[in-house]
Amino acid sequence: MEAIQNLVEYYDELYPVSTEQFDFYKSLLQQYSKPVKFLGIGCGTGVLESRLAKEITDVTGLETIKELLDSATRKHRTQLMSIRFFKMSTIEMARFLGKKFYNVISCLNDRIIFIHDEILLRKFFFDCKQLLADNGSLVLTLTNYDLYRNQPVAFLPERCSMRAKLKSKLEFLNNGYFLTRTIETGNGKVIPIYTKTSVYPITMAEIKKFAMEAGFSVVNFFNGYCKENLDSKSSEIMVVIK
């Protein structure tokens, strides 16, 4: 069961664009000739995409959740920027978007795990390779599921803001993984977001394997946007694939 509409009010504060994140993308985009083409998959409310549109001239955001997409669209309604948002899944993107068009593709904040089928995950990497121009970059951020895949029940790192905490529980049930996610407000109220939603908590070895199968040649793992070295206890990872 899903109640995504409950997340919209808190989304921007739980998933803020940090200075480190913005600086990372500015540096990455400078590696390409203008106009740089950026694609955000699972873009949420489009905060990062809207900020990057001020730096580059062509930004596309994809989102499957109507409430988040509506919020993203409202953000740039009166701004003269080359930015567009589409309600589109990863299954559809290679059919409707331009091949070899994008310089940078991002799928952030654990959104990749909602592609909850291994075959579709492999397709995701193949499709990203098709959509990227030569020497393009695919950027992922997600929980380090190497720490949790062998546990029947695992409580993932919380996200916190001044008003709320985002809590996530990963369970292995009936040969599959399921995510339960809630928001706890400052007054102790618990708001459901996902209840035992099917996910695929992809590991670092699988990311590298699927990327190489798709034709990528370089897969680098980091501990955050400052590109610090990853260690076995890092709870979150950033991946840059070329």
Side-chain angles (χ1 to χ4, degrees):
M1 185 178 71
E2 299 181 359
I4 307 300
Q5 68 277 5
N6 293 333
L7 179 59
V8 176
E9 177 184 349
Y10 303 96
Y11 191 93
D12 290 353
E13 60 192 78
L14 289 169
Y15 297 97
V17 178
S18 66
T19 300
E20 294 79 12
Q21 181 183 13
F22 190 61
D23 288 347
F24 164 80
Y25 276 101
K26 284 185 66 175
S27 176
L28 179 61
L29 296 171
Q30 288 171 2
Q31 298 176 21
Y32 301 99
S33 300
K34 294 184 178 180
V36 185
K37 310 295 196 303
F38 178 90
L39 174 64
I41 298 172
C43 65
T45 60
V47 177
L48 175 63
E49 285 71 20
S50 294
R51 288 192 62 181
L52 291 179
K54 298 176 183 178
E55 303 292 326
I56 58 179
T57 60
D58 199 291
V59 174
T60 302
L62 306 183
E63 182 54 70
T64 58
I65 301 167
K66 181 182 183 301
E67 292 84 359
L68 296 178
L69 185 67
D70 289 345
S71 179
T73 302
R74 286 194 298 269
K75 281 184 172 62
H76 81 283
R77 182 170 290 167
T78 59
Q79 299 178 25
L80 299 177
M81 298 183 293
S82 182
I83 183 171
R84 65 205 64 83
F85 295 99
F86 299 119
K87 190 174 189 296
M88 189 182 301
S89 69
T90 57
I91 298 174
E92 302 169 294
M93 64 183 186
R95 185 154 47 111
F96 293 106
L97 302 180
K99 304 292 194 296
K100 290 190 173 296
F101 183 77
Y102 299 98
N103 303 110
V104 177
I105 297 177
S106 282
C107 185
L108 309 181
N109 301 327
D110 259 329
R111 291 299 293 272
I112 192 173
I113 72 169
F114 293 93
I115 307 171
H116 56 83
D117 178 87
E118 182 177 330
I119 294 174
L120 294 179
L121 264 172
R122 291 173 186 264
K123 172 178 164 54
F124 168 81
F125 285 94
F126 274 99
D127 289 350
C128 286
K129 188 69 171 67
Q130 287 188 57
L131 295 174
L132 281 169
D134 293 341
N135 198 38
S137 301
L138 170 61
V139 180
L140 310 173
T141 62
L142 65 156
T143 301
N144 180 5
Y145 288 104
D146 289 60
L147 301 176
Y148 306 106
R149 275 276 290 261
N150 294 325
Q151 301 179 33
V153 179
F155 293 92
L156 306 181
E158 295 181 0
R159 281 186 171 269
C160 300
S161 70
M162 293 291 291
R163 295 192 302 153
K165 293 180 181 179
L166 186 66
K167 298 185 175 185
S168 302
K169 180 174 69 172
L170 183 68
E171 298 177 271
F172 184 71
L173 300 167
N174 301 321
N175 295 316
Y177 289 92
F178 297 86
L179 182 72
T180 295
R181 181 166 282 173
T182 59
I183 287 176
E184 182 180 315
T185 64
N187 61 9
K189 183 178 179 181
V190 177
I191 304 171
I193 307 298
Y194 296 106
T195 302
K196 294 187 177 179
T197 295
S198 181
V199 293
Y200 191 107
I202 189 170
T203 64
M204 286 187 280
E206 288 172 322
I207 291 171
K208 186 170 184 177
K209 178 182 178 182
F210 297 165
M212 293 297 186
E213 287 176 350
F216 290 100
S217 57
V218 178
V219 181
N220 290 319
F221 295 92
F222 301 102
N223 182 13
Y225 288 104
C226 293
K227 300 175 76 171
E228 297 174 351
N229 291 333
L230 193 70
D231 61 49
S232 60
K233 295 182 180 179
S234 298
S235 61
E236 296 188 1
I237 61 176
M238 183 184 75
V239 195
V240 181
I241 303 170
K242 293 188 175 185

